[in-house]
Amino acid sequence: MKFVFNFFLYLAAIINQKTNIMRKVTFLLLCLCITALNSFAGGYQVGLNSQRNIGMGLIGTSLTYDASALFYNPGAASFIDSKFSFSGGLSFIMSRTTFQAKGEAYQAEINHDLNYPFNFYAAFKPTKDLSIGVAVNTPYGLSLAWPDDWKGRYIIQNISFKAITIQPTISYKIKNIIGIGAGLVISYGNVELNKAIPLSDSTGNDGKVNIKGNTTKLGYNAGIQIHPMKGLNIGIDYRSKIDMAVKNGDATFTVPAALASEFPANKVNVTLPLPANLDLGVSYEFNEKLMIGLGLNYVFWKVYDSLAFDFQTPTSAVAAHQSSAKKYSNMLIVRLGAQYKINKLIAVRIGGYYDPSPVKDDYVDPLLPTSNEIGLTCGLSIFPCKGFSIDGSFEYLIGSKRDGNDINDNFAGTYKTALFMPGIGLSYNF
């Protein structure tokens, strides 16, 4: 984290001298891309939805810098200064998660697959008070792989879940004081899960089950932006819950030939809820250079009460309904962030947040091991010409050690996670 921040400051000093600007910009892009190519991903709700906002602790509900306001607060989109606004970016996650079995020397480590949450936003103002646009991003995702022969292989070996959302949005402001807006959220998701079955063949290999499917569901996003006085911005946003219900997914079993009739190719229904979010943001511009903001993000995790699989062709070996309790709790995330414009060419950002785990101690499992987390962020924007910016961000997520016992499978141990997330993006307003 210190290295990245010092690197940003070093680059800022070079650009501030106004020498070889484009060469230095290219150098920054290459550095971020090289870092990204060595990154891996994890997570369920992913907050990497705008490089500028990532750099400020992932705040954004009260901000109106560019078209990313379509996602963070549709009511804020009407306050975008430009007639046209475009913004997009790509983030990468490098993660390390380890498991230590309770009372044993046994350890295992997750192999995280490469993942790259992305976002794209486009806004157009046909009048000075009306804004319309579309947001495309990946606010939810989960991708992890434990070793095939690890101790918890009968619970999970690997899982991949990705949700892409498209949000057409409309926003309108009243007398430059209040903005209101709403958008329809179209969410496409696909999931694939693999785990071992305690049935060995003649060579001692475990049986396996593979489950995969996809679905498209609808939700909504609505928000209000208030400018009660010069420099002060207040935003409130609500994103609805979306139940990603996969119908007629494919379940394929690999078992010894003598048991194949008890494990036929099957169809399965499974639902993974995307929780609702209620966000409050307050920011204040002390002058044209310095802005400080606060964000409160309340996540309605309680909807993730259990994970159930309903098989359409049950047998004596495959029950029609299989479920495991999750018992998540609603949680409040507190975020702080700041931006400082050094000059017309460069702006730097810093932020942080505290994200408490929604998982109770008796339900900590290897499917989604989470702990109380502290996120530290920094960011940089370079403005090589009017209206155009190159945005970089870096987030370091520190997870505390988490002792837990999954009472569904009587599986106990200690988990430890840390994540590194660089990102790069572009914005253009005109």
Side-chain angles (χ1 to χ4, degrees), residues 193-357:
L193 178 150
N194 291 278
K195 69 176 183 176
I197 302 174
L199 297 171
S200 299
D201 60 20
S202 58
T203 61
N205 294 320
D206 287 319
K208 292 185 177 182
V209 58
N210 169 269
I211 295 174
K212 59 183 178 181
N214 58 74
T215 187
T216 301
K217 297 296 179 180
L218 301 178
Y220 65 89
N221 186 7
I224 300 174
Q225 180 87 328
I226 305 173
H227 293 185
M229 57 181 287
K230 184 178 180 180
L232 178 62
N233 302 320
I234 302 171
I236 302 174
D237 177 70
Y238 179 79
R239 291 189 298 280
S240 72
K241 179 188 77 168
I242 302 177
D243 282 325
M244 301 301 290
V246 174
K247 302 294 185 181
N248 298 317
D250 295 315
T252 305
F253 297 90
T254 302
V255 296
L259 299 173
S261 62
E262 293 298 317
F263 295 89
N266 218 319
K267 293 294 183 180
V268 62
N269 299 335
V270 60
T271 298
L272 184 66
L274 308 184
N277 283 250
L278 178 63
D279 302 335
L280 170 66
V282 180
S283 60
Y284 186 71
E285 299 176 5
F286 291 86
N287 50 51
E288 63 179 12
K289 290 182 176 292
L290 178 64
M291 185 280 299
I292 295 178
L294 165 70
L296 300 176
N297 174 209
Y298 191 76
V299 187
F300 293 84
W301 278 118
K302 195 173 182 178
V303 296
Y304 192 30
D305 184 66
S306 65
L307 181 62
F309 298 88
D310 293 303
F311 292 91
Q312 295 183 10
T313 307
T315 67
S316 59
V318 180
H321 179 78
Q322 302 178 24
S323 67
S324 58
K326 301 301 177 183
K327 304 295 183 182
Y328 274 34
S329 301
N330 297 340
M331 286 294 160
L332 177 68
I333 306 171
V334 180
R335 309 180 188 275
L336 291 171
Q339 173 181 269
Y340 185 77
K341 297 179 181 178
I342 295 176
N343 53 32
K344 291 182 179 181
L345 291 175
I346 191 164
V348 293
R349 304 180 183 93
I350 193 167
Y353 63 90
Y354 176 68
D355 186 359
S357 173

Side-chain angles (χ1 to χ4, degrees), residues 12-33:
I14 294 176
I15 294 177
N16 197 33
Q17 296 173 4
K18 301 182 180 180
T19 59
N20 298 322
I21 292 178
M22 293 311 296
R23 183 160 58 90
K24 306 306 178 184
V25 170
T26 302
F27 179 65
L28 171 64
L29 290 171
L30 288 174
C31 285
L32 286 175
C33 289

